[in-house]
């Protein structure tokens, strides 16, 4: 079976959030006979497909970007050729270009849409996009939400419950860090700190974490890069250490050394929080915000950590202080986080659920 994934960004240009989910599916389903191809945009001109493990990445040249949406003319030609050989086309929402690709060249193929997030920021442009979005989602054979929380609270998904499946994002088990990596990071940042890992974007709540760190004086390590990197460097107090983007190996070392993981994303653009999932996998207590999104599905309040009001630096500071003052409870929450990961968020379970959908869609007669 051949599956084509469609999303705005993928390796080697991007390996955050949705790109990680696509990679986990493509590699996890290869042993089950699924040949995966990924079509995305790139600022670099790349001719042939790029082999990524057991699957293939195809790139169309990005011509321009408007409101975080990459646009390309050549992507339509690339999509037509790739969709022609696919048994199922798996669209990762939101990316308005994918909706147009479907209507121009994809209507003859089974369409599965993973609904990763509502459109939150681009409200004015959303009004122009709404008619296309509604038609696209109406035509999808199956729509997948990544958590029951998001399915319940999304105003868009409420209209598609008849075709809605819920498949939580899963991750492969972690590779424990080497002793040398632990020692290197311990010398640099110590241990028992609060850790944030993620792209430094507008919805990640970094200003509230900086303010909470100022209020508590507790050590905080921020790993990641992005639009707010310069702002963070100019505004971070002495107890906040910015380490920039880190490798997978270094990420696991930081997760092993930290006291707890803090994830202050305050807008529904943060629909799930793969970084939270990785913290739970490492057995760490978590702090996240109550937004009705998947973050509160990963981090169950009082069980695996603490959830706080979004954009509330004082409540965030209080949660950090409580975990620091109650180490036994923090350890209990960390153990619960690991147990919840085992129960709900294993990559194998996610892959099996999608395989069942792929097989069902591929067996449908062509339109």
């Amino acid at each position: 079976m051949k599956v084509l994934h469609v999303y705005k960004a993928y390796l080697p240009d991007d390996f955050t959030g949705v790109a990680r989910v696509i990679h986990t599916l493509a590699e996890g389903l290869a042993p089950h006979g699924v040949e995966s191809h990924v079509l995305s945009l790139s600022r670099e001109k790349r001719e042939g497909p790029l082999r990524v493990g057991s699957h293939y990445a195809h790139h169309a040249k990005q011509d321009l970007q408007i409101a975080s949406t990459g646009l390309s003319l050549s992507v339509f030609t690339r999509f037509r050729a790739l969709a022609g050989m696919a048994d199922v086309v798996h669209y990762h929402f939101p990316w308005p270009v994918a909706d147009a690709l479907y209507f121009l060249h994809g209507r003859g193929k089974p369409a599965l849409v993973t609904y990763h997030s509502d459109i939150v920021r681009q409200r004015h442009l959303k009004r122009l996009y709404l008619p296309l979005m509604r038609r696209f989602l109406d035509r999808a054979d199956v729509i997948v939400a990544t958590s029951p929380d998001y399915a319940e609270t999304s105003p868009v998904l409420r209209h598609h419950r008849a075709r809605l499946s819920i498949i939580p994002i899963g991750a492969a088990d972690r590779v424990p860090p080497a002793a040398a990596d632990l020692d290197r990071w311990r010398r640099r940042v110590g241990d028992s700190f609060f850790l944030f890992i993620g792209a430094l974007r507008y919805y990640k709540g970094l200003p509230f974490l900086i303010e909470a760190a100022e209020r508590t004086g507790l050590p905080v390590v921020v790993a990641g890069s992005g639009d707010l990197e310069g702002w963070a460097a100019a505004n971070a107090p002495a107890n906040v250490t910015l380490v920039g983007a880190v490798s997978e190996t270094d990420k696991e070392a930081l997760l092993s050394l930290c006291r707890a993981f803090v994830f202050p994303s305050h807008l529904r653009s943060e629909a799930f929080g793969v970084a939270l999932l990785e913290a739970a996998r490492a057995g760490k207590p978590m702090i996240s915000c109550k937004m009705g999104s998947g973050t509160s599905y990963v981090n169950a309040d009082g069980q695996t950590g603490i959830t706080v009001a979004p954009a509330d630096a004082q409540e965030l500071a209080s949660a950090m202080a409580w975990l620091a003052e109650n180490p036994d409870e923090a350890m209990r929450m960390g153990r619960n986080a690991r147990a919840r990961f085992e129960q709900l968020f294993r990559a194998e379970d996610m892959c099996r659920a999608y395989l069942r959908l792929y097989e069902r869609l591929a067996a449908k007669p062509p339109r």
Side-chain angles (χ1 to χ4, degrees):
M1 182 193 304
K2 293 183 179 180
V3 174
L4 173 62
H5 294 269
V6 180
Y7 189 58
K8 61 184 178 182
Y10 193 60
L11 288 165
D13 304 286
D14 181 84
F15 196 47
T16 60
V18 175
R20 285 181 175 273
V21 176
I22 295 171
H23 184 273
T24 300
L25 285 172
E27 290 298 292
L29 288 175
H32 298 275
V34 177
E35 180 183 308
S36 297
H37 296 258
V38 185
L39 176 61
S40 65
L41 302 188
S42 175
R43 290 185 175 89
E44 303 294 327
K45 186 176 181 180
R46 296 187 173 90
E47 296 300 333
L50 175 69
R51 184 71 181 257
V52 181
S54 301
H55 66 284
Y56 300 89
H58 306 258
H59 304 90
K61 182 70 168 61
Q62 179 173 302
D63 297 319
L64 70 158
Q65 186 169 8
I66 300 174
S68 301
T69 299
L71 302 176
S72 167
L73 289 176
S74 61
V75 72
F76 292 91
T77 304
R78 299 298 298 275
F79 175 80
R80 181 171 57 188
L82 290 168
M85 63 81 181
D87 297 297
V88 176
V89 181
H90 188 161
Y91 302 88
H92 294 267
F93 182 96
W95 184 34
V97 171
D99 307 30
L101 291 173
Y102 169 80
F103 282 109
L104 285 174
H105 302 301
R107 284 183 289 178
K109 296 290 182 173
L112 187 157
V113 176
T114 295
Y115 191 97
H116 290 278
S117 172
D118 294 329
I119 296 174
V120 177
R121 195 181 193 187
Q122 294 83 11
R123 294 181 180 178
H124 298 298
L125 290 176
K126 183 181 176 181
R127 293 194 186 99
L128 299 176
Y129 167 52
L130 269 177
L132 177 63
M133 181 192 80
R134 287 170 176 162
R135 287 188 63 204
F136 173 58
L137 293 176
D138 284 342
R139 289 297 301 267
D141 294 285
V142 177
I143 300 172
V144 173
T146 57
S147 72
D149 301 56
Y150 216 85
E152 185 63 31
T153 59
S154 168
V156 175
L157 291 180
R158 289 184 194 139
H159 298 289
H160 301 283
R161 287 178 176 170
R163 288 170 296 117
L164 189 65
S165 296
I166 297 173
I167 304 177
I169 292 172
D173 210 350
R174 72 193 296 246
V175 177
D181 293 319
L182 287 171
D183 291 341
R184 174 167 53 86
W185 277 106
R186 189 179 285 109
R187 288 193 298 271
R188 182 174 175 183
V189 298
D191 53 23
S192 296
F193 50 84
F194 287 84
L195 176 64
F196 167 86
I197 299 175
L200 307 186
R201 295 174 180 154
Y202 71 95
Y203 59 85
K204 293 289 185 176
L206 193 61
F208 309 108
L209 176 57
I210 296 295
E211 184 178 341
E214 287 181 318
R215 289 171 181 260
T216 62
L218 291 166
V220 174
V221 173
V222 173
S225 59
D227 298 339
L228 293 181
E229 197 168 357
W231 178 90
N235 290 276
N239 57 312
V240 175
T241 304
L242 306 174
V243 299
V246 296
S247 67
E248 295 300 304
T249 301
D250 289 336
K251 178 196 298 182
E252 294 303 331
L254 288 168
L255 282 166
S256 293
L257 292 171
C258 74
R259 180 199 303 272
F261 190 79
V262 59
F263 202 62
S265 296
H266 62 299
L267 297 174
R268 282 176 60 83
S269 300
E270 192 70 78
F272 189 87
V274 173
L276 271 179
L277 190 62
E278 293 169 338
R281 181 179 64 181
K284 294 296 176 176
M286 298 168 283
I287 302 173
S288 60
C289 294
K290 306 169 188 172
M291 302 178 291
S293 73
T295 60
S296 296
Y297 184 61
V298 180
N299 182 24
D301 187 38
Q303 179 184 345
T304 63
I306 302 172
T307 61
V308 301
D312 190 328
Q314 179 55 56
E315 196 169 334
L316 182 60
S318 298
M320 292 167 64
W322 190 90
L323 286 178
E325 293 163 4
N326 296 273
D328 292 340
E329 281 296 295
M331 289 181 64
R332 178 189 67 82
M333 289 176 170
R335 290 192 297 269
N336 289 342
R338 174 65 197 191
R340 189 170 177 83
F341 168 80
E342 291 283 353
Q343 180 185 5
L344 297 174
F345 304 117
R346 294 168 67 249
E348 296 90 337
D349 297 334
M350 176 182 73
C351 288
R352 276 195 294 268
Y354 273 104
L355 180 61
R356 288 192 291 270
L357 288 181
Y358 291 160
E359 290 173 339
R360 174 159 66 86
L361 292 178
K364 293 180 64 175
R367 295 179 180 178

